[in-house]
């Protein structure tokens, strides 16, 4: 009895330290502002969220896809934030931090209750919490869906593992309900049935003890849910879905090779992190793409070969591969080809597998406990320090994108930064950045969207200045650049916006004539 109480107190102490450790690491983000990309669209400017919790908003969130996604639980969480904290960024950021801290504890509980290895479970959960690839998911308000999806997937896995031990049907149905909640938070949870197979291998170790037919049969309801929500996701994002005819098979192989190797590289060398459009993400192509796919196949073969001795390696690798399937490029969807936040669910399994393999190898050597502690401390200190320095970069849009918007920098960063500066009234600098972005790439959809909004701001700004009789020369007054934008918009088929730019250029020229 005493030993059980001691073990329980130890678990509680470790779980509490994980929660507050994650809270401490990300607490600074609670004072951050909105990021121009999506944050306002999901929160303060969203008709669903602005009014807080209401029956009308709940009905609209649950009755149909909204903003191209059917993610009603994510919308519900934003509504709750608005109801409690108001529409400022602080409340939304704080909820993200709390959700990540809870997920860290849940991962620890899932691993410790199924492996009975508390120390390795603690290290795996702590490494997951502190890894720099978590920063985007936690510090960016719009990544709420990744955090909620991770929360409900972990709850489903915990309930599923309990059901495999005691056979209580209520736990099975609750696990299925949690899976549905994960899918209502983000469609990426369609991979959950495959994760159940991975945890059957390890840490549940059910693969060899149960008939294969039963293993598939018991997951049929989970697969049915995933199939239904996959169809919803594709229909909701039809506008951003690249037609199959436009992406050749070699191009798909290139996308798959790029995404998996990108995430593996960033797992072990998490440098140069940040938001980037798919248009500007470097790809592995041609022979190198083929070689990269051969490398992935070799890693998979190695994991199967070592499965008898290290089942956690195969389980972690399969978890990683399966959880990335929805975003690996097989079905090109959305703006981003790769994104740090996409690793939130995949990393849970991969990092756990790597930590437990290392722990097992050290145990077999004997007398290597101190080496294990030293290795764990070094890995956690490295991850923590990198994340701690990465988090402030997400303070606001200017802080995040300015370092990559210099000469020869990312056109995507320049376009987003131009959008932010235009919203602050700095139309001259915004036009300069947008001009550079367009000259580097005229076909990028995000740049075109920002260009359209910028045209409207220019037009509205001119109308205000004309009515107030302000001197146009105090604002943006480069007629040549305005005409350049107008011509470009015309070539893009955006005639109305083109006319607004050319009209603004005429106003500038007429003002120049009048003031000579």
């Amino acid at each position: 009895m005493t030993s059980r109480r001691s073990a329980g107190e130890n678990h509680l102490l470790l779980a509490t330290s994980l929660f507050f450790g994650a809270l401490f690491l990300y607490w600074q983000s609670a004072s951050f502002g909105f990021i121009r990309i999506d944050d306002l669209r999901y929160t303060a400017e969203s008709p669903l969220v602005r009014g807080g919790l209401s029956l009308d908003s709940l009905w609209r969130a649950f009755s149909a896809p909204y903003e191209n996604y059917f993610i009603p639980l994510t919308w519900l969480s934003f509504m709750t934030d608005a109801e409690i904290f108001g529409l400022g960024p602080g409340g939304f950021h704080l909820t993200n931090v709390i959700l990540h801290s809870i997920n860290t504890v849940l991962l620890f509980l899932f691993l410790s209750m199924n492996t009975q290895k508390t120390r390795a479970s603690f290290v795996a959960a702590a490494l997951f919490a502190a890894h720099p690839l978590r920063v985007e998911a936690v510090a960016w308000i719009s990544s709420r869906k990744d955090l909620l999806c991770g929360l409900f997937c972990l709850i489903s896995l915990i309930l599923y593992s309990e059901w495999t031990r005691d056979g209580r049907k209520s736990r099975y149905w609750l696990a299925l309900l949690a899976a549905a909640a994960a899918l209502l938070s983000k469609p990426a949870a369609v991979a959950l049935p495959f994760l159940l197979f991975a945890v059957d291998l390890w840490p549940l170790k059910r693969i060899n003890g149960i008939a294969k037919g039963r293993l598939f049969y018991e997951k049929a309801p989970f697969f049915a849910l995933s199939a239904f929500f996959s169809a919803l996701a594709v229909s909701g994002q039809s506008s951003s879905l690249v037609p199959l005819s436009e992406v050749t098979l070699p191009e798909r192989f290139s996308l798959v090779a790029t995404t998996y190797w990108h995430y593996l590289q960033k797992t072990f060398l998490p440098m140069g992190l940040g938001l980037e459009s798919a248009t500007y993400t470097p790809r592995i192509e041609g022979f190198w793409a083929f070689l990269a796919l051969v490398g992935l196949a070799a890693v998979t073969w190695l994991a199967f070969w070592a499965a008898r001795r290290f089942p956690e390696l195969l389980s972690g690798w399969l978890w990683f591969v399966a959880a990335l399937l929805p975003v690996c490029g097989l079905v090109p969807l959305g703006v981003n080809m790769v994104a740090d936040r996409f690793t939130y669910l995949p990393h849970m399994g991969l990092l756990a597998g790597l930590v437990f393999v290392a722990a097992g190898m050290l145990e077999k050597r004997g007398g290597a406990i101190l080496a294990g502690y030293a290795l764990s401390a070094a890995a956690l200190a490295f991850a923590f320090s990198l994340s701690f320095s990465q988090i402030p970069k997400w303070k606001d849009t200017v802080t995040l994108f300015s370092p990559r918007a210099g000469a020869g920098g990312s056109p995507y960063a320049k376009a987003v930064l131009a959008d932010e500066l235009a919203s602050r009234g700095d139309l001259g600098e915004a036009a300069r950045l947008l001009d550079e972005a367009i000259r580097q790439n005229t076909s990028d959809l995000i740049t075109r969207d920002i260009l359209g909004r910028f045209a409207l701001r220019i037009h509205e700004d001119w109308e205000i200045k004309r009515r107030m009789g302000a001197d146009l020369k105090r604002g943006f007054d480069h007629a040549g650049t305005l005409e350049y934008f107008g011509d470009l918009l015309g070539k893009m088929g955006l005639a109305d916006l083109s006319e607004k730019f050319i009209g603004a250029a005429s106003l500038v020229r007429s003002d120049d004539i009048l003031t000579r």
Side-chain angles (χ1 to χ4, degrees):
M1 182 68 73
T2 303
S3 61
R4 284 186 179 181
R5 175 182 292 181
S6 177
E9 291 174 350
N10 188 40
H11 266 72
L12 180 60
L13 178 63
L14 292 175
T16 303
S17 63
L18 283 169
F19 179 87
F20 284 103
L23 202 67
F24 171 77
L25 175 60
Y26 281 97
W27 185 257
Q28 57 182 308
S29 68
S31 63
F32 291 177
F34 291 116
I35 298 298
R36 172 60 50 180
I37 303 173
D38 291 346
D39 274 0
L40 291 169
R41 187 164 62 94
Y42 274 101
T43 57
E45 294 180 358
S46 168
L48 276 182
V49 174
R50 279 201 305 261
L53 290 169
S54 68
L55 290 176
D56 178 63
S57 293
L58 287 172
W59 169 253
R60 291 169 65 188
F62 278 90
S63 60
Y66 192 81
E67 294 285 0
N68 297 328
Y69 286 102
F70 186 64
I71 49 173
L73 287 186
T74 298
W75 290 115
L76 176 60
S77 74
F78 284 137
M79 290 180 219
T80 305
D81 284 346
E83 186 74 28
I84 297 172
F85 303 109
L87 294 176
F92 297 109
H93 278 298
L94 181 60
T95 300
N96 273 21
V97 175
I98 292 172
L99 285 171
H100 180 57
S101 302
I102 293 172
N103 287 344
T104 301
V105 173
L106 289 176
L107 180 60
F108 165 70
L109 293 176
F110 171 74
L111 293 172
S112 61
M113 67 191 289
N114 290 300
T115 65
Q116 309 306 315
K117 294 182 177 180
T118 307
R119 286 176 294 190
S121 300
F122 176 85
V123 172
L127 192 56
F128 165 78
H131 197 284
L133 286 176
R134 300 294 82 74
V135 173
E136 181 178 304
V138 185
W140 189 23
I141 293 171
S142 300
S143 287
R144 173 71 57 82
K145 49 188 176 289
D146 295 276
L147 302 172
L148 286 172
C149 178
L151 172 74
F152 290 115
C153 281
L154 283 168
I155 292 174
S156 183
L157 289 169
I158 289 171
L159 289 165
Y160 174 80
S161 64
E162 287 290 289
W163 169 73
T164 62
R165 274 191 290 274
D166 60 26
R168 291 171 59 181
K169 290 183 179 180
S170 60
R171 295 191 191 277
Y172 178 87
W173 294 114
L174 286 172
L176 189 64
L177 182 63
L183 288 160
L184 290 169
S185 302
K186 186 177 182 179
V190 295
L192 183 59
F194 298 102
L195 305 193
L196 297 179
F197 280 112
V199 299
D200 278 341
L201 174 65
W202 179 90
L204 302 183
K205 299 180 180 179
R206 301 176 69 225
I207 292 294
N208 295 324
I210 296 177
K212 299 298 184 287
R214 179 185 165 183
L215 287 174
F216 283 93
Y217 172 76
E218 67 190 20
K219 295 171 184 62
F222 291 90
F223 276 109
L225 271 178
S226 291
F228 175 72
F229 278 92
S230 294
L232 274 181
V234 171
S235 64
Q237 296 187 67
S238 56
S239 60
S240 59
L241 180 65
V242 181
L244 295 177
S245 58
E246 294 184 13
V247 184
T248 65
L249 195 59
E251 287 175 327
R252 288 182 190 276
F253 286 153
S254 170
L255 289 172
V256 172
T258 299
T259 53
Y260 278 102
W261 281 110
H262 172 87
Y263 293 128
L264 284 173
Q265 175 199 343
K266 297 300 182 183
T267 296
F268 298 102
L269 194 64
M271 307 293 185
L273 306 180
L275 286 172
E276 186 56 271
S277 166
T279 308
Y280 311 116
T281 302
R283 298 189 185 185
I284 303 173
E285 296 180 323
F287 173 74
W288 294 107
F290 171 75
L291 211 60
L293 290 173
V294 171
L296 289 174
V299 173
T300 304
W301 176 84
L302 180 64
F304 273 98
W305 177 78
R308 188 181 298 274
R309 187 178 179 189
F310 296 114
E312 53 269 55
L313 179 62
L314 178 58
S315 174
W317 177 248
L318 293 179
W319 178 317
F320 177 73
V321 170
L324 280 176
L325 280 175
V327 292
C328 73
L330 285 174
V331 180
L333 202 62
V335 172
N336 302 110
M337 183 170 70
V338 294
D340 301 348
R341 64 188 181 278
F342 292 164
T343 64
Y344 198 82
L345 187 60
H347 252 192
M348 294 179 186
L350 180 64
L351 294 177
L354 292 173
V355 168
F356 274 83
V357 166
M361 293 175 69
L362 289 171
E363 283 179 7
K364 290 177 181 179
R365 291 189 62 178
I369 295 178
L370 289 178
Y373 282 134
L375 184 63
S376 300
L380 290 174
F382 178 69
F384 189 95
S385 62
L386 287 179
S387 292
F388 198 77
S389 63
Q390 176 74 10
I391 293 168
K393 296 177 182 178
W394 286 81
K395 181 180 179 181
D396 55 34
T397 307
V398 174
T399 307
L400 181 62
F401 287 101
S402 290
R404 294 191 292 125
S410 162
Y412 175 72
K414 291 175 184 177
V416 176
L417 186 56
D419 197 28
E420 175 66 15
L421 293 176
S423 72
R424 299 182 181 189
D426 189 354
L427 299 178
E429 180 63 14
R432 185 189 67 78
L433 287 167
L434 195 53
D435 181 50
E436 288 183 11
I438 292 168
R439 290 179 188 277
Q440 286 179 257
N441 191 322
T442 60
S443 61
D444 181 58
L445 293 176
I446 291 179
T447 305
R448 288 179 59 171
D449 179 58
I450 291 172
L451 177 61
R453 292 202 300 272
F454 181 69
L456 292 174
R457 286 196 187 101
I458 287 283
H459 181 69
E460 291 166 1
D461 188 74
W462 240 273
E463 291 300 320
I464 292 169
K465 286 180 178 179
R466 288 182 71 201
R467 287 196 297 270
M468 295 178 65
D471 179 7
L472 287 174
K473 288 188 177 297
R474 288 190 306 176
F476 174 76
D477 62 353
H478 304 295
T481 305
L482 282 170
E483 286 181 339
Y484 165 75
F485 283 138
D487 291 340
L488 188 61
L489 284 162
K491 292 174 183 177
M492 291 176 174
L494 304 173
D496 292 342
L497 294 178
S498 175
E499 289 175 8
K500 286 184 170 71
F501 263 95
I502 293 172
S506 299
L507 282 172
V508 173
R509 286 213 163 89
S510 64
D511 179 72
D512 285 342
I513 293 170
L514 291 172
T515 55
R516 280 177 186 172

